[in-house]
Each structure stands twice: as structure tokens, then as C-alpha cells.
Amino acid sequence: MKRQKILVFIDLDMLVRHFVKSGVLRHLEDRFDVKYIFHRDPTSEKKSIYTDPDTLNLKNWSWLDLPRRRGGNWDHLYTPGTLWNLRKSDYFNDRLELAYLTRNKKWVDRYLLLVKSGLYPVYSLLFKACMGVYQPMVDLIDQEKPDLIVHPTILQGMFINDLLLAAKKKKVPTLLLMNSWDNPSQKAAVTGFPDKLAVWGPQTYNHARDYMKVPEERLEVLGAAQFDVYRDPVEQSDDQLREMFGVPQGVPVVLYGGTSKSVIESIHLEALDQAIASGRIPRCHILYRPHPWRGPLLPGEKSFYDLNLKHVSLDPFMQDYYDTQVLGTVKHATFDLADYKVTARLMKLVSAVVSPLSTILLEAVMHEKPVQILHPKEVAGDMAKLVSDLGPRLVHFADLKGDGILVADSTDQMISGVEKLLQMKDDADIKHSLKQVAEFFVDMSGPRYGQALVDLADKMIVEKQKNLGT
């Protein structure tokens, strides 16, 4: 019997890491005839995918050339479309401020006029008519004749808007797999709704419904692909983990998770080291893990190696990355950013986590570790205002609260907070509270992500065949 065919469209390296390298899509290959379609633009030096698909051990894949210019043009519908969806919500002003921070002011002024005047729906129709349906994508669908299209996505990117139009034209059902917790509140597909949008849990279900206006019958809770590995037990002992991460025996370990934004992290690391040395913080060790998307040193930021800290060490699994991207002293990094198994081991090792606005906070809560959210003033660069002012108001962070979740608005509060974290690290009631918070963000109660994805894909294909009378 011929197997049904699924096309999987991928347009970012991040999605390669979270959905392909994680192995969750392999389950589809066991049940269906799967072909992967990767984005490429031969006319541009910039790439959305630097990973060589030949290295991924895929049975069937190909490129689809789509000009970055065309993908960029959709931004003139994406930004006003996102604001239009939020126009009656209490999040509108914050999202508008974010638009002004990340887009040309002149264009945002125009987008705002479209929204406030009520002209956006007319503008949207005209814009989509001018853009048209991307014919090479239609031709690909005609050639492959898929029963289902699956698209892991940040709800923005090179493929999503053209893909929804092309799939609708060819009457092929679409399944979007959201990548991160901020996607439904910060982004939007602006050429229509998919047949199904898979979200992480109750929080992103609510955000997709309220902020993207996706009808509830089109939403499915699947959990998070990249966190599926957290269901597997960590086999290493505490002694083995300490040796693995190069931290001392016999003392609690607190993780300082860096951010991708413009925080002068060396100030925090020095303050923590001095507080431990002086006895203000009880005896412990700080493990510094740079964010995998951070850039070079900021103005006023010191290299970790120049700090000469006694109670703080650099995560050895991030050292090559730090040396390469932050200092520019090493040509090749060996650390695989997709290895969430390393993070799982890290979470078993540490007693608590301190970080500015980063997903590592949510991962810690999922592992029942108390956390402290930093709203630092030690910032630099163009994104400083976003970090210090707007960041705390981003709605995907708003629900990260409860027992075992502290907030610090200054370095001094951070120091006091670490002492409190160490006091609550073994509290059973705190762990129970953290578990309940985590379940609101990421539903891990059902089948593993790969199996849940197969079940949903099968259901969607059966529904399609029923509608066609086949």
C-alpha cells in the first residue's frame, strides 16, 4: 500500500536544531513518505540555513529557492497584521513599542495609521493581491502531490506566508509547529490560518487564540519539540556531573544563564564572586553559561578570562562558542547548540538559576529549580532599552511567577536573591509549585512529541480524505 506523503518545509537553522536534529520528525518518516524542503536564495550572500542538509542523514530532501527580498516584503504585511490582531488587547501599546524599537519609525507610523483607521483589512487584500502566490512553490506542490504540509516555524520567516497561500490554492492541509514560547504573542502568519497550529501548552494556546485570533478548533497542544528530551532520565551521578562541568565537589551550584540581549554580564559575575568571597552569599559555586545567540563583548564588558574569578567558572560546553563568537580567538566551535541532553544534565546538577529574560528560566522551572529573573540596568547598545524597560512587559514572561520564582531589579537584589534561592532549593512545596507553573507553559502529560505529531498528522490526512470522499 502506498504511504501518504508529507512535505516538511524548513527555513531556519534554529528549526533544524529543534525539529530535525532533536529526532522528533523521524517518527513521521516511520509512518509516512516524508520529504524535507529547505530554503535557499542563490542571489544573496545571506542565508537562513547554514546547515548542510547532506549532514543530516535524511532520506529525501531538496532546496526551494525563494528570494530573501520577497520574504522581506511580507514584513510590510506582518508588522501591521500583528498590530491589527492586538488592537483591542491590553498588550497593544507594548507590542507597538517593540515595533518602533525593531522597525523603521516612518513605516511603523504608517502601519499604526492603517490599524487605527480600520483600513488594514483592505490594505491586506490589496497587498496579497500584489504579492500573488509564489509560483515555484505551487509547482513544487503540484510535482510532489503531498497529503499534508508540515512547517516548523517561528511564525515569521521566508516560507510561512507564501506557504499558506500556495497550500490553500492546492487544497493541501497545513500543520504549523511553533518553535518558541514568544511566537504566538509576538508574531503572526498574515496570509491566513493553518489547518492546525501546534502549541506548547495552555499559555501559548491562549496566546494563539487571543493574540493571533486563531480559532480554537485549529489549535493543538503538543508540547515543545526541543524539550522532549527532558523526559529521559539523566544517568550520571552528582560526582560525574561535577567532573563533567568542571565545578567543585560539596557545594551547591547556581547557574548564571546569559542573555542574547545587551547585558554587561561581567558586572554580575564579578558581583557574585565578591559576594561569595565575603560571605554575603553562603558557600556555593556559580557556573556561567553564555547565551548561544549572544555576540561580541559590549562596551564596558570584560572578557571572562580577564575577571580572574575564584567562585565562578565558564560552562566548558560553551567555551569554544565563547572563544569563537565573543572573543573571536578560535576559528571552529565544536559545541552542538542543539544538544539539549547537555542542558538536561546541567539542570540535574544545579540548585538554582539566575538569568535575564532567557528561555533557560523556563527550562529550570520545568526541572523544579528555583529561579531569579533579572531585569538588569547594566546594559549597553541599541537594544538596551528593550532589555531594561520593555523586556519585563513581554507577555510570554508575564506568567512566569509563583513560589520559587524571584525577581531582581538591581545587582544588589540579585545578590540577596541568590541567598534566598539556596534556602529554598530543597523545599518540596516550592518544587510542587514550580511543577504547576511549568505545566502551564509546556504540556508534557501526553505522548512524546514525535508520536503526538504522527497521531495529529494521521488525523489530518484522514480528515482530508474524508472531505474529498476518497
Side-chain angles (χ1 to χ4, degrees):
M1 180 179 176
K2 184 179 179 181
R3 299 203 300 176
Q4 291 100 349
K5 187 165 191 176
I6 293 178
L7 293 183
V8 178
F9 286 77
I10 297 178
D11 58 5
L12 284 172
D13 268 321
M14 182 194 316
L15 304 171
V16 173
R17 294 196 297 268
H18 292 170
F19 291 87
V20 181
K21 289 186 176 182
S22 70
V24 297
L25 295 180
R26 296 291 184 182
H27 296 265
L28 287 178
E29 297 177 25
D30 294 337
R31 172 70 176 81
F32 305 99
D33 178 11
V34 177
K35 183 171 184 178
Y36 296 84
I37 309 298
F38 294 94
H39 173 262
R40 181 177 65 178
D41 179 8
T43 68
S44 173
E45 294 183 358
K46 295 182 178 180
K47 296 181 179 180
S48 56
I49 295 178
Y50 288 87
T51 304
D52 181 356
D54 273 330
T55 66
L56 299 175
N57 194 30
L58 303 175
K59 294 179 182 178
N60 193 7
W61 70 272
S62 67
W63 297 107
L64 176 61
D65 295 343
L66 189 152
R68 292 181 63 88
R69 179 180 294 274
R70 179 176 176 89
N73 284 344
W74 283 114
D75 193 70
H76 292 297
L77 190 62
Y78 160 76
T79 302
T82 304
L83 294 173
W84 176 260
N85 288 339
L86 295 171
R87 67 192 185 280
K88 295 180 180 179
S89 77
D90 55 4
Y91 187 51
F92 178 84
N93 289 333
D94 291 335
R95 188 60 182 81
L96 177 63
E97 186 176 344
L98 179 62
Y100 275 117
L101 283 167
T102 57
R103 299 293 190 273
N104 182 286
K105 181 180 182 302
K106 177 181 67 175
W107 280 109
V108 177
D109 287 340
R110 295 171 180 174
Y111 302 149
L112 182 59
L113 179 61
L114 286 171
V115 172
K116 288 194 170 183
S117 66
L119 292 174
Y120 172 77
V122 176
Y123 167 81
S124 176
L125 288 173
L126 293 174
F127 193 96
K128 286 185 282 189
C130 291
M131 289 290 287
V133 182
Y134 188 58
Q135 193 58 43
M137 189 173 281
V138 174
D139 294 341
L140 174 67
I141 294 174
D142 273 335
Q143 176 184 335
E144 299 293 342
K145 296 179 173 55
D147 296 284
L148 177 68
I149 287 172
V150 175
H151 181 34
T153 176
I154 63 171
L155 298 179
Q156 186 186 14
M158 292 296 108
F159 277 156
I160 185 167
N161 291 306
D162 280 305
L163 189 56
L164 289 175
L165 290 175
K168 183 177 180 180
K169 181 175 182 178
K170 302 311 297 183
K171 296 182 172 58
V172 179
T174 52
L175 168 57
L176 301 187
L177 310 176
M178 63 161 270
N179 175 72
S180 188
W181 58 338
D182 69 328
N183 295 165
S185 60
Q186 307 301 320
K187 300 176 173 66
V190 288
T191 56
F193 296 126
D195 292 270
K196 292 289 184 180
L197 170 62
V199 297
W200 282 10
Q203 188 211 39
T204 44
Y205 183 100
N206 295 342
H207 286 181
R209 178 196 62 204
D210 298 340
Y211 297 139
M212 290 180 64
K213 308 304 180 185
V214 179
E216 290 192 76
E217 64 269 17
R218 295 177 183 244
L219 295 172
E220 294 282 342
V221 174
L222 289 194
Q226 60 267 47
F227 298 154
D228 201 54
V229 69
Y230 292 159
R231 299 186 188 219
D232 300 329
V234 174
E235 303 296 340
Q236 288 81 3
S237 67
D238 183 73
D239 287 347
Q240 290 172 323
L241 291 171
R242 288 176 184 274
E243 183 178 355
M244 181 183 299
F245 286 94
V247 299
Q249 300 286 337
V251 295
V253 179
V254 176
L255 175 67
Y256 179 99
T259 180
S260 60
K261 304 300 188 294
S262 304
V263 178
I264 305 175
E265 295 172 348
S266 60
I267 294 177
H268 294 160
L269 299 177
E270 284 186 303
L272 289 167
D273 190 70
Q274 292 169 8
I276 296 171
S278 68
R280 182 178 174 187
I281 293 178
R283 188 166 172 260
C284 66
H285 185 81
I286 306 297
L287 184 62
Y288 170 46
R289 190 187 205 203
H291 194 284
W293 300 345
R294 70 151 293 161
L297 293 175
L298 300 166
E301 184 178 17
K302 300 176 184 177
S303 160
F304 178 82
Y305 302 111
D306 293 335
L307 298 176
N308 297 315
L309 306 176
K310 296 181 179 180
H311 304 282
V312 183
S313 61
L314 179 65
D315 181 350
F317 291 94
M318 292 300 292
Q319 183 171 352
D320 278 353
Y321 173 82
Y322 186 87
D323 293 348
T324 303
Q325 301 297 328
V326 181
L327 303 183
T329 56
V330 175
K331 297 301 182 184
H332 301 288
T334 59
F335 180 70
D336 182 0
L337 297 179
D339 196 350
Y340 281 85
K341 290 182 180 179
V342 172
T343 308
R345 294 171 186 143
L346 177 64
M347 287 299 155
K348 182 178 180 181
L349 167 67
V350 302
S351 296
V353 173
V354 175
S355 179
L357 301 184
S358 171
T359 311
I360 198 70
L361 292 164
L362 175 56
E363 295 173 72
V365 171
M366 291 174 66
H367 286 83
E368 301 177 13
K369 306 292 182 176
V371 302
Q372 180 171 224
I373 306 169
L374 302 183
H375 298 323
K377 303 299 184 290
E378 298 83 5
V379 295
D382 294 338
M383 297 299 288
K385 179 175 174 57
L386 176 62
V387 173
S388 60
D389 296 336
L390 183 58
R393 290 181 272 137
L394 297 174
V395 292
H396 59 289
F397 274 104
D399 296 311
L400 197 61
K401 57 187 177 182
D403 294 339
I405 301 174
L406 308 180
V407 177
D409 294 317
S410 67
T411 301
D412 191 64
Q413 286 183 9
M414 176 188 70
I415 300 300
S416 300
V418 170
E419 181 179 7
K420 294 176 183 176
L421 292 177
L422 293 172
Q423 292 171 356
M424 64 177 66
K425 64 183 178 65
D426 298 318
D427 189 308
D429 291 335
I430 293 291
K431 291 181 179 294
H432 178 70
S433 175
L434 293 170
K435 181 180 179 181
Q436 289 183 313
V437 172
E439 289 171 350
F440 183 65
F441 286 89
V442 184
D443 188 336
M444 304 281 274
S445 63
R448 299 287 294 249
Y449 193 94
Q451 185 57 55
L453 178 57
V454 169
D455 293 343
L456 178 55
D458 199 38
K459 184 172 73 172
M460 292 180 69
I461 291 174
V462 168
E463 186 66 27
K464 174 199 173 186
Q465 292 172 338
K466 185 187 303 182
N467 292 337
L468 293 176
T470 60

